[in-house]
mmCIF file of all heavy atoms in Angstrom:
data_model
loop_
_atom_site.group_PDB
_atom_site.id
_atom_site.type_symbol
_atom_site.label_atom_id
_atom_site.label_comp_id
_atom_site.label_asym_id
_atom_site.label_seq_id
_atom_site.Cartn_x
_atom_site.Cartn_y
_atom_site.Cartn_z
ATOM 1 N N SER A 1 14.314 -40.642 52.653
ATOM 2 C CA SER A 1 14.119 -40.159 51.324
ATOM 3 C C SER A 1 14.274 -38.616 51.238
ATOM 4 O O SER A 1 14.903 -38.077 50.308
ATOM 5 C CB SER A 1 12.753 -40.530 50.792
ATOM 6 O OG SER A 1 12.576 -41.951 50.707
ATOM 7 N N THR A 2 13.765 -37.984 52.285
ATOM 8 C CA THR A 2 13.919 -36.474 52.334
ATOM 9 C C THR A 2 15.341 -36.060 52.513
ATOM 10 O O THR A 2 15.834 -35.142 51.824
ATOM 11 C CB THR A 2 13.044 -35.919 53.488
ATOM 12 O OG1 THR A 2 11.706 -36.319 53.362
ATOM 13 C CG2 THR A 2 13.146 -34.426 53.532
ATOM 14 N N VAL A 3 16.051 -36.775 53.394
ATOM 15 C CA VAL A 3 17.475 -36.425 53.638
ATOM 16 C C VAL A 3 18.280 -36.659 52.357
ATOM 17 O O VAL A 3 19.156 -35.857 52.006
ATOM 18 C CB VAL A 3 18.016 -37.281 54.778
ATOM 19 C CG1 VAL A 3 19.558 -37.201 54.860
ATOM 20 C CG2 VAL A 3 17.418 -36.897 56.105
ATOM 21 N N ASN A 4 18.006 -37.739 51.654
ATOM 22 C CA ASN A 4 18.801 -38.008 50.409
ATOM 23 C C ASN A 4 18.509 -36.955 49.362
ATOM 24 O O ASN A 4 19.417 -36.510 48.669
ATOM 25 C CB ASN A 4 18.410 -39.396 49.841
ATOM 26 C CG ASN A 4 18.917 -40.516 50.789
ATOM 27 O OD1 ASN A 4 19.867 -40.367 51.494
ATOM 28 N ND2 ASN A 4 18.234 -41.645 50.699
ATOM 29 N N ALA A 5 17.262 -36.544 49.260
ATOM 30 C CA ALA A 5 16.882 -35.485 48.274
ATOM 31 C C ALA A 5 17.519 -34.160 48.652
ATOM 32 O O ALA A 5 18.090 -33.452 47.753
ATOM 33 C CB ALA A 5 15.383 -35.325 48.192
ATOM 34 N N MET A 6 17.466 -33.809 49.922
ATOM 35 C CA MET A 6 18.097 -32.589 50.375
ATOM 36 C C MET A 6 19.620 -32.632 50.213
ATOM 37 O O MET A 6 20.245 -31.578 49.946
ATOM 38 C CB MET A 6 17.730 -32.329 51.834
ATOM 39 C CG MET A 6 16.239 -32.125 52.103
ATOM 40 S SD MET A 6 15.663 -30.516 51.488
ATOM 41 C CE MET A 6 16.401 -29.388 52.630
ATOM 42 N N ASN A 7 20.199 -33.800 50.421
ATOM 43 C CA ASN A 7 21.656 -33.923 50.338
ATOM 44 C C ASN A 7 22.152 -33.594 48.942
ATOM 45 O O ASN A 7 23.281 -33.104 48.787
ATOM 46 C CB ASN A 7 22.066 -35.327 50.762
ATOM 47 C CG ASN A 7 23.538 -35.448 51.028
ATOM 48 O OD1 ASN A 7 24.055 -34.728 51.848
ATOM 49 N ND2 ASN A 7 24.222 -36.336 50.287
ATOM 50 N N VAL A 8 21.360 -33.959 47.919
ATOM 51 C CA VAL A 8 21.783 -33.676 46.532
ATOM 52 C C VAL A 8 21.974 -32.162 46.324
ATOM 53 O O VAL A 8 22.897 -31.753 45.607
ATOM 54 C CB VAL A 8 20.684 -34.202 45.551
ATOM 55 C CG1 VAL A 8 21.014 -33.769 44.132
ATOM 56 C CG2 VAL A 8 20.623 -35.708 45.627
ATOM 57 N N VAL A 9 21.171 -31.376 47.000
ATOM 58 C CA VAL A 9 21.251 -29.897 46.853
ATOM 59 C C VAL A 9 22.169 -29.265 47.827
ATOM 60 O O VAL A 9 23.022 -28.400 47.536
ATOM 61 C CB VAL A 9 19.818 -29.257 46.909
ATOM 62 C CG1 VAL A 9 19.937 -27.762 46.835
ATOM 63 C CG2 VAL A 9 18.901 -29.852 45.882
ATOM 64 N N LEU A 10 22.029 -29.667 49.121
ATOM 65 C CA LEU A 10 22.727 -28.966 50.210
ATOM 66 C C LEU A 10 24.181 -29.368 50.369
ATOM 67 O O LEU A 10 25.029 -28.546 50.720
ATOM 68 C CB LEU A 10 21.996 -29.186 51.520
ATOM 69 C CG LEU A 10 20.544 -28.595 51.548
ATOM 70 C CD1 LEU A 10 19.910 -28.885 52.904
ATOM 71 C CD2 LEU A 10 20.576 -27.077 51.287
ATOM 72 N N ALA A 11 24.482 -30.681 50.204
ATOM 73 C CA ALA A 11 25.884 -31.113 50.394
ATOM 74 C C ALA A 11 26.857 -30.388 49.513
ATOM 75 O O ALA A 11 27.878 -29.919 49.975
ATOM 76 C CB ALA A 11 25.954 -32.645 50.200
ATOM 77 N N PRO A 12 26.590 -30.183 48.193
ATOM 78 C CA PRO A 12 27.553 -29.439 47.394
ATOM 79 C C PRO A 12 27.554 -27.919 47.637
ATOM 80 O O PRO A 12 28.604 -27.283 47.394
ATOM 81 C CB PRO A 12 27.006 -29.706 45.936
ATOM 82 C CG PRO A 12 26.068 -30.819 46.040
ATOM 83 C CD PRO A 12 25.517 -30.767 47.379
ATOM 84 N N THR A 13 26.447 -27.395 48.222
ATOM 85 C CA THR A 13 26.346 -25.943 48.360
ATOM 86 C C THR A 13 26.834 -25.472 49.775
ATOM 87 O O THR A 13 27.594 -24.464 49.846
ATOM 88 C CB THR A 13 24.941 -25.428 48.100
ATOM 89 O OG1 THR A 13 24.038 -26.190 48.965
ATOM 90 C CG2 THR A 13 24.573 -25.620 46.689
ATOM 91 N N ILE A 14 26.406 -26.127 50.811
ATOM 92 C CA ILE A 14 26.819 -25.664 52.148
ATOM 93 C C ILE A 14 27.492 -26.775 52.973
ATOM 94 O O ILE A 14 27.802 -26.555 54.163
ATOM 95 C CB ILE A 14 25.603 -25.148 52.922
ATOM 96 C CG1 ILE A 14 24.582 -26.274 53.234
ATOM 97 C CG2 ILE A 14 24.918 -24.031 52.189
ATOM 98 C CD1 ILE A 14 23.440 -25.808 54.152
ATOM 99 N N GLY A 15 27.745 -27.941 52.380
ATOM 100 C CA GLY A 15 28.390 -29.032 53.106
ATOM 101 C C GLY A 15 29.858 -28.847 53.233
ATOM 102 O O GLY A 15 30.434 -29.315 54.244
ATOM 103 N N PHE A 16 30.554 -28.233 52.222
ATOM 104 C CA PHE A 16 32.006 -28.049 52.258
ATOM 105 C C PHE A 16 32.788 -29.281 52.524
ATOM 106 O O PHE A 16 33.852 -29.283 53.131
ATOM 107 C CB PHE A 16 32.394 -26.961 53.263
ATOM 108 C CG PHE A 16 31.594 -25.655 53.149
ATOM 109 C CD1 PHE A 16 30.665 -25.314 54.095
ATOM 110 C CD2 PHE A 16 31.876 -24.801 52.066
ATOM 111 C CE1 PHE A 16 29.962 -24.126 53.984
ATOM 112 C CE2 PHE A 16 31.143 -23.648 51.936
ATOM 113 C CZ PHE A 16 30.183 -23.284 52.899
ATOM 114 N N GLY A 17 32.175 -30.450 52.082
ATOM 115 C CA GLY A 17 32.879 -31.703 52.228
ATOM 116 C C GLY A 17 33.112 -32.103 53.706
ATOM 117 O O GLY A 17 33.940 -32.971 54.006
ATOM 118 N N GLY A 18 32.311 -31.476 54.606
ATOM 119 C CA GLY A 18 32.459 -31.797 56.057
ATOM 120 C C GLY A 18 33.574 -31.091 56.720
ATOM 121 O O GLY A 18 33.854 -31.364 57.897
ATOM 122 N N ARG A 19 34.317 -30.248 55.962
ATOM 123 C CA ARG A 19 35.490 -29.592 56.564
ATOM 124 C C ARG A 19 35.143 -28.440 57.515
ATOM 125 O O ARG A 19 35.923 -28.139 58.394
ATOM 126 C CB ARG A 19 36.427 -29.091 55.456
ATOM 127 C CG ARG A 19 36.982 -30.184 54.573
ATOM 128 C CD ARG A 19 38.083 -29.633 53.648
ATOM 129 N NE ARG A 19 37.541 -28.544 52.763
ATOM 130 C CZ ARG A 19 36.928 -28.735 51.632
ATOM 131 N NH1 ARG A 19 36.714 -29.949 51.207
ATOM 132 N NH2 ARG A 19 36.503 -27.710 50.890
ATOM 133 N N PHE A 20 33.993 -27.741 57.249
ATOM 134 C CA PHE A 20 33.639 -26.602 58.084
ATOM 135 C C PHE A 20 32.226 -26.752 58.609
ATOM 136 O O PHE A 20 31.308 -26.016 58.134
ATOM 137 C CB PHE A 20 33.794 -25.327 57.206
ATOM 138 C CG PHE A 20 35.068 -25.182 56.548
ATOM 139 C CD1 PHE A 20 35.166 -25.326 55.150
ATOM 140 C CD2 PHE A 20 36.240 -24.921 57.265
ATOM 141 C CE1 PHE A 20 36.397 -25.222 54.482
ATOM 142 C CE2 PHE A 20 37.440 -24.773 56.595
ATOM 143 C CZ PHE A 20 37.528 -24.944 55.207
ATOM 144 N N PRO A 21 31.993 -27.672 59.533
ATOM 145 C CA PRO A 21 30.651 -27.909 60.006
ATOM 146 C C PRO A 21 30.003 -26.704 60.695
ATOM 147 O O PRO A 21 28.831 -26.515 60.630
ATOM 148 C CB PRO A 21 30.828 -29.077 61.019
ATOM 149 C CG PRO A 21 32.257 -29.068 61.374
ATOM 150 C CD PRO A 21 32.983 -28.550 60.138
ATOM 151 N N THR A 22 30.836 -25.884 61.353
ATOM 152 C CA THR A 22 30.286 -24.716 62.038
ATOM 153 C C THR A 22 29.683 -23.739 61.029
ATOM 154 O O THR A 22 28.635 -23.152 61.247
ATOM 155 C CB THR A 22 31.349 -24.000 62.853
ATOM 156 O OG1 THR A 22 31.894 -24.882 63.809
ATOM 157 C CG2 THR A 22 30.823 -22.792 63.572
ATOM 158 N N ILE A 23 30.390 -23.545 59.901
ATOM 159 C CA ILE A 23 29.844 -22.683 58.858
ATOM 160 C C ILE A 23 28.605 -23.311 58.220
ATOM 161 O O ILE A 23 27.651 -22.544 57.877
ATOM 162 C CB ILE A 23 30.957 -22.456 57.774
ATOM 163 C CG1 ILE A 23 32.147 -21.736 58.377
ATOM 164 C CG2 ILE A 23 30.368 -21.632 56.599
ATOM 165 C CD1 ILE A 23 33.256 -21.519 57.411
ATOM 166 N N THR A 24 28.593 -24.597 58.069
ATOM 167 C CA THR A 24 27.389 -25.296 57.576
ATOM 168 C C THR A 24 26.189 -25.007 58.464
ATOM 169 O O THR A 24 25.070 -24.690 58.035
ATOM 170 C CB THR A 24 27.600 -26.769 57.433
ATOM 171 O OG1 THR A 24 28.653 -27.021 56.527
ATOM 172 C CG2 THR A 24 26.357 -27.475 56.929
ATOM 173 N N ILE A 25 26.390 -25.150 59.804
ATOM 174 C CA ILE A 25 25.343 -24.907 60.753
ATOM 175 C C ILE A 25 24.885 -23.431 60.689
ATOM 176 O O ILE A 25 23.707 -23.137 60.732
ATOM 177 C CB ILE A 25 25.818 -25.221 62.203
ATOM 178 C CG1 ILE A 25 26.051 -26.714 62.311
ATOM 179 C CG2 ILE A 25 24.830 -24.790 63.235
ATOM 180 C CD1 ILE A 25 26.685 -27.144 63.626
ATOM 181 N N MET A 26 25.860 -22.536 60.546
ATOM 182 C CA MET A 26 25.519 -21.120 60.520
ATOM 183 C C MET A 26 24.670 -20.777 59.261
ATOM 184 O O MET A 26 23.702 -20.010 59.390
ATOM 185 C CB MET A 26 26.870 -20.242 60.549
ATOM 186 C CG MET A 26 26.572 -18.763 60.611
ATOM 187 S SD MET A 26 28.134 -17.833 60.615
ATOM 188 C CE MET A 26 28.849 -18.441 62.157
ATOM 189 N N ILE A 27 25.054 -21.293 58.134
ATOM 190 C CA ILE A 27 24.310 -20.994 56.903
ATOM 191 C C ILE A 27 22.889 -21.601 57.012
ATOM 192 O O ILE A 27 21.867 -20.942 56.655
ATOM 193 C CB ILE A 27 25.037 -21.564 55.705
ATOM 194 C CG1 ILE A 27 26.350 -20.847 55.495
ATOM 195 C CG2 ILE A 27 24.183 -21.443 54.463
ATOM 196 C CD1 ILE A 27 27.194 -21.440 54.401
ATOM 197 N N ALA A 28 22.762 -22.838 57.553
ATOM 198 C CA ALA A 28 21.446 -23.439 57.746
ATOM 199 C C ALA A 28 20.579 -22.579 58.678
ATOM 200 O O ALA A 28 19.418 -22.386 58.453
ATOM 201 C CB ALA A 28 21.598 -24.850 58.317
ATOM 202 N N GLU A 29 21.233 -22.072 59.721
ATOM 203 C CA GLU A 29 20.508 -21.198 60.673
ATOM 204 C C GLU A 29 20.042 -19.939 59.991
ATOM 205 O O GLU A 29 18.931 -19.473 60.191
ATOM 206 C CB GLU A 29 21.450 -20.873 61.825
ATOM 207 C CG GLU A 29 20.859 -19.845 62.789
ATOM 208 C CD GLU A 29 19.776 -20.380 63.671
ATOM 209 O OE1 GLU A 29 19.674 -21.561 63.725
ATOM 210 O OE2 GLU A 29 19.085 -19.530 64.273
ATOM 211 N N LEU A 30 20.898 -19.354 59.112
ATOM 212 C CA LEU A 30 20.515 -18.085 58.408
ATOM 213 C C LEU A 30 19.296 -18.372 57.504
ATOM 214 O O LEU A 30 18.444 -17.530 57.411
ATOM 215 C CB LEU A 30 21.682 -17.597 57.616
ATOM 216 C CG LEU A 30 22.895 -17.083 58.374
ATOM 217 C CD1 LEU A 30 24.010 -16.606 57.430
ATOM 218 C CD2 LEU A 30 22.477 -16.000 59.292
ATOM 219 N N VAL A 31 19.300 -19.515 56.840
ATOM 220 C CA VAL A 31 18.169 -19.834 55.959
ATOM 221 C C VAL A 31 16.855 -19.945 56.763
ATOM 222 O O VAL A 31 15.832 -19.404 56.388
ATOM 223 C CB VAL A 31 18.453 -21.177 55.213
ATOM 224 C CG1 VAL A 31 17.210 -21.642 54.493
ATOM 225 C CG2 VAL A 31 19.587 -21.006 54.224
ATOM 226 N N VAL A 32 16.951 -20.617 57.922
ATOM 227 C CA VAL A 32 15.773 -20.782 58.755
ATOM 228 C C VAL A 32 15.262 -19.422 59.298
ATOM 229 O O VAL A 32 14.095 -19.120 59.235
ATOM 230 C CB VAL A 32 16.065 -21.687 59.951
ATOM 231 C CG1 VAL A 32 14.963 -21.643 60.955
ATOM 232 C CG2 VAL A 32 16.307 -23.128 59.465
ATOM 233 N N VAL A 33 16.241 -18.595 59.713
ATOM 234 C CA VAL A 33 15.863 -17.263 60.274
ATOM 235 C C VAL A 33 15.265 -16.397 59.193
ATOM 236 O O VAL A 33 14.226 -15.727 59.398
ATOM 237 C CB VAL A 33 17.079 -16.607 60.891
ATOM 238 C CG1 VAL A 33 16.805 -15.145 61.226
ATOM 239 C CG2 VAL A 33 17.496 -17.387 62.175
ATOM 240 N N LEU A 34 15.966 -16.325 58.036
ATOM 241 C CA LEU A 34 15.467 -15.478 56.960
ATOM 242 C C LEU A 34 14.066 -15.891 56.468
ATOM 243 O O LEU A 34 13.216 -15.007 56.275
ATOM 244 C CB LEU A 34 16.461 -15.501 55.773
ATOM 245 C CG LEU A 34 17.794 -14.768 55.995
ATOM 246 C CD1 LEU A 34 18.759 -15.065 54.829
ATOM 247 C CD2 LEU A 34 17.618 -13.290 56.175
ATOM 248 N N LEU A 35 13.876 -17.191 56.374
ATOM 249 C CA LEU A 35 12.573 -17.657 55.923
ATOM 250 C C LEU A 35 11.482 -17.442 56.957
ATOM 251 O O LEU A 35 10.482 -16.835 56.715
ATOM 252 C CB LEU A 35 12.644 -19.156 55.542
ATOM 253 C CG LEU A 35 11.308 -19.810 55.172
ATOM 254 C CD1 LEU A 35 10.804 -19.283 53.866
ATOM 255 C CD2 LEU A 35 11.491 -21.320 55.067
ATOM 256 N N GLY A 36 11.729 -18.071 58.136
ATOM 257 C CA GLY A 36 10.706 -18.024 59.177
ATOM 258 C C GLY A 36 10.392 -16.670 59.701
ATOM 259 O O GLY A 36 9.233 -16.275 59.793
ATOM 260 N N THR A 37 11.422 -15.842 60.018
ATOM 261 C CA THR A 37 11.271 -14.564 60.533
ATOM 262 C C THR A 37 10.619 -13.622 59.538
ATOM 263 O O THR A 37 9.688 -12.851 59.863
ATOM 264 C CB THR A 37 12.571 -13.934 60.997
ATOM 265 O OG1 THR A 37 13.142 -14.805 61.992
ATOM 266 C CG2 THR A 37 12.341 -12.585 61.641
ATOM 267 N N THR A 38 11.043 -13.683 58.269
ATOM 268 C CA THR A 38 10.524 -12.795 57.251
ATOM 269 C C THR A 38 9.025 -13.077 56.999
ATOM 270 O O THR A 38 8.230 -12.100 57.021
ATOM 271 C CB THR A 38 11.285 -12.992 55.940
ATOM 272 O OG1 THR A 38 12.678 -12.693 56.109
ATOM 273 C CG2 THR A 38 10.738 -12.077 54.855
ATOM 274 N N LEU A 39 8.660 -14.304 56.878
ATOM 275 C CA LEU A 39 7.240 -14.638 56.671
ATOM 276 C C LEU A 39 6.383 -14.238 57.845
ATOM 277 O O LEU A 39 5.301 -13.682 57.677
ATOM 278 C CB LEU A 39 7.081 -16.137 56.366
ATOM 279 C CG LEU A 39 7.626 -16.575 54.980
ATOM 280 C CD1 LEU A 39 7.517 -18.117 54.869
ATOM 281 C CD2 LEU A 39 6.844 -15.891 53.857
ATOM 282 N N ARG A 40 6.887 -14.502 59.016
ATOM 283 C CA ARG A 40 6.122 -14.180 60.238
ATOM 284 C C ARG A 40 5.891 -12.720 60.396
ATOM 285 O O ARG A 40 4.780 -12.249 60.689
ATOM 286 C CB ARG A 40 6.849 -14.742 61.480
ATOM 287 C CG ARG A 40 6.087 -14.488 62.767
ATOM 288 C CD ARG A 40 6.717 -15.229 63.897
ATOM 289 N NE ARG A 40 8.137 -14.914 64.055
ATOM 290 C CZ ARG A 40 8.598 -13.863 64.674
ATOM 291 N NH1 ARG A 40 7.771 -13.010 65.235
ATOM 292 N NH2 ARG A 40 9.876 -13.658 64.812
#
């Protein structure tokens, strides 16, 4: 259920139709770093 809900938002924004998985991973990493590191 969580994956399906996240997919509605993330697939159109950072999924790129599966064509650029490395960029998708990089953007996801940036989100995690910006959120986790900033709050910490």
